[in-house]
Amino acid sequence: MPEIISVGELIVDVMRMKVDEPLDQPGTFAGAFPSGAPAIFTDQCALLGRSAGFIGAVGNDDFGRMDIRRFQDHGVDTRYVAVIDEVSTGCAFVTYFSNGDRRFLFHIGNSAASHLPDVPADYFEGCKWLHICGSSLSAGERMRDGCYRATELAYEAGAKISLDPNLRPELLGGEQAVREVLEPVLSRAALVLPSASEAEILTKTNTPEAACVGLLARGVEIVALKRGEEGCRIVTRGESVDVPGYPVEAVDPTGAGDCFDAAFVVGLTEGLPLAECGRLANACGAAAASVRGPMEGSLSREAAFERAGIG
Ligand code: ATP
Ligand code: MG
């Protein structure tokens, strides 16, 4: 059974070739690329050499076959990736603007990406980490309940729970709704990996420092605060470490956060000191941001450890 499991949407991304090409006009696209926040996470864990499994669903179509092939090529356990005949593989269209904005057009709710197979409790035997993404909790009620159920099964099996609260309030009807949806996972989470604004929303605070204090007070053991090109800040009850980022030209930041999460969790499973976990995570996040396609820049174990200077 896998040591690291994630559950959620497995999709493809189709992205504009150039910045400032809105989606309400014809234009050129690149892709499709395998995607979905928890899928990017799982793929990066496997590439870093850990035993990783994914729970999700694709349609019986070419995009779904591409996603499964990518997972299998990288060693992800796909026995609980369902292939559904009645619906298509989920997808997202993405465009970036020169002012830093980005826009997504999602086809998730009526796609295979909102489905989950039934997973027996014994799949979580031997699981050390379960990773949940906020994005999955907004992919429909069935997916949300599946994530909550996986959280309980993993928790009962003695696994640690990590949460990336990458949930946009505007998609869910406001900040209170975001807090409510995340609560069943947050209350079990040992590790939370937010951006500053996500941390502040979660804790109803208005500085990252206060937000970290608030998360720790709730029982979270480690907060890994993602800071884009600046790297990250890792906060526990005993210490706070700022780890600088690796300079890259950011071509496509989508997926950087998920690769960061994966490398951080892998570092923890290997017992690395927090600063080294942060370096490994920053290296993987920077690499992901520097390549077009959310999984296309994921690093091999050798490359990641070398860039992070961990021997
Ligand atoms: P997303 O949710 O869009 O994947 P995020 O907001 O969760 O991203 P970011 O802070 O943008 O997370 O990026 C995650 C990590 O990736 C950062 O903490 C950093 O280590 C790395 N990273 C992202 N962008 C850059 C960049 N331009 N240069 C260097 N490193 C980057
Ligand atoms: Mg994020």
Side-chain angles (χ1 to χ4, degrees), residues 37 40 96 102 104 164 166 193-196 198 225-233 243-251 253-261 278-279 281-290:
I40 300 163
Y96 295 109
R102 67 181 161 181
F104 288 99
D164 183 331
N166 58 355
L193 309 114
S195 63
E198 290 162 351
L225 198 69
K226 286 176 271 190
R227 303 174 66 213
E229 61 190 331
E230 317 249 287
C232 63
R233 171 175 297 164
V243 187
Y246 293 87
V248 288
E249 193 198 334
V251 174
T254 304
D258 309 305
C259 290
F260 175 99
D261 296 351
R279 291 216 304 273
N282 283 341
C284 287
S290 69

Side-chain angles (χ1 to χ4, degrees), residues 142-224:
R142 180 174 38 211
M143 175 61 86
R144 184 180 304 175
D145 290 344
C147 290
Y148 292 162
R149 179 162 181 273
T151 301
E152 290 310 305
L153 289 175
Y155 188 80
E156 280 158 24
K160 300 254 189 191
I161 312 295
S162 51
L163 170 66
D164 183 331
N166 58 355
L167 220 175
R168 290 186 297 153
E170 65 274 21
L171 285 183
L172 213 78
E175 297 186 0
Q176 182 56 27
V178 166
R179 285 188 286 272
E180 281 169 18
V181 161
L182 291 172
E183 178 56 31
V185 184
L186 181 60
S187 65
R188 296 297 198 203
L191 168 66
V192 180
L193 309 114
S195 63
S197 64
E198 290 162 351
E200 290 165 18
I201 289 171
L202 268 181
T203 52
K204 289 202 227 178
T205 53
N206 46 29
T207 64
E209 290 74 20
C212 290
V213 169
L215 287 168
L216 297 174
R218 290 220 33 179
V220 173
E221 292 166 26
I222 304 172
V223 182

